[in-house]
Amino acid sequence: MKWLSHIGQGVLILVFLMAGLTKLFSNTEQIIEMYSDPFGYPPIFMYFIGVIELIAALGLIAGYRWRRIAVLSSLLVLILLLGIIASNLMINAFADAILPIMYLLLLIGLLIRLIHVESVMKIQPQ
């Protein structure tokens, strides 16, 4: 089952690398068309979200070696996904929220694997 969590982690890495790079390398007009018009977010905020998505993806990559970093990056991805889902639901874009919900379920499975099965965040009694 460990390989399955590695595949899920890889999927999340690809998704957030592509999303972050798309936001960072899009020009302002594209950002306004994709995010400012439907959601009302300013372009600078979306560039900031792109940086956060890249940091989360790089943390997930480092998480292959250091599993605690994978947990911390997964929590960052969790916050991002909840924001994506909430943003889509606020503008009644229910169909656009389906894919982030699926990523959220994948992320929850990864977190359960990391925390409970691999005992990554085990607290040692003193």
Side-chain angles (χ1 to χ4, degrees):
M1 289 303 271
K2 188 173 185 176
W3 60 272
L4 194 58
S5 69
H6 285 304
I7 292 172
Q9 188 174 345
V11 168
L12 290 170
I13 289 168
L14 289 175
V15 166
F16 280 91
L17 271 177
M18 289 188 307
L21 289 173
T22 299
K23 286 178 184 73
L24 288 178
F25 288 111
S26 295
N27 60 31
T28 306
E29 291 82 25
Q30 292 170 326
I31 293 291
I32 289 171
E33 182 182 331
M34 290 189 300
Y35 303 106
S36 295
D37 289 343
F39 298 108
Y41 297 134
I44 190 73
F45 178 72
M46 295 316 299
Y47 289 123
F48 173 73
I49 293 295
V51 169
I52 299 297
E53 288 172 340
L54 281 179
I55 290 170
L58 293 174
L60 287 172
I61 291 170
Y64 279 120
R65 172 66 178 96
W66 299 285
R67 299 309 273 169
R68 285 184 186 221
I69 294 176
V71 172
L72 296 174
S73 295
S74 295
L75 294 175
L76 182 59
V77 170
L78 177 74
I79 293 167
L80 287 170
L81 284 173
L82 290 175
I84 294 167
I85 293 167
S87 294
N88 283 314
L89 294 179
M90 285 184 344
I91 63 166
N92 295 324
F94 300 110
D96 292 337
I98 293 173
L99 196 55
I101 290 171
M102 291 174 52
Y103 293 142
L104 181 63
L105 294 174
L106 178 65
L107 179 67
I108 290 170
L110 176 64
L111 279 169
I112 289 171
R113 170 78 185 167
L114 288 171
I115 293 172
H116 290 294
V117 177
E118 293 184 23
S119 298
V120 171
M121 300 302 277
K122 187 184 342 181
I123 298 173
Q124 308 245 339
Q126 295 181 353

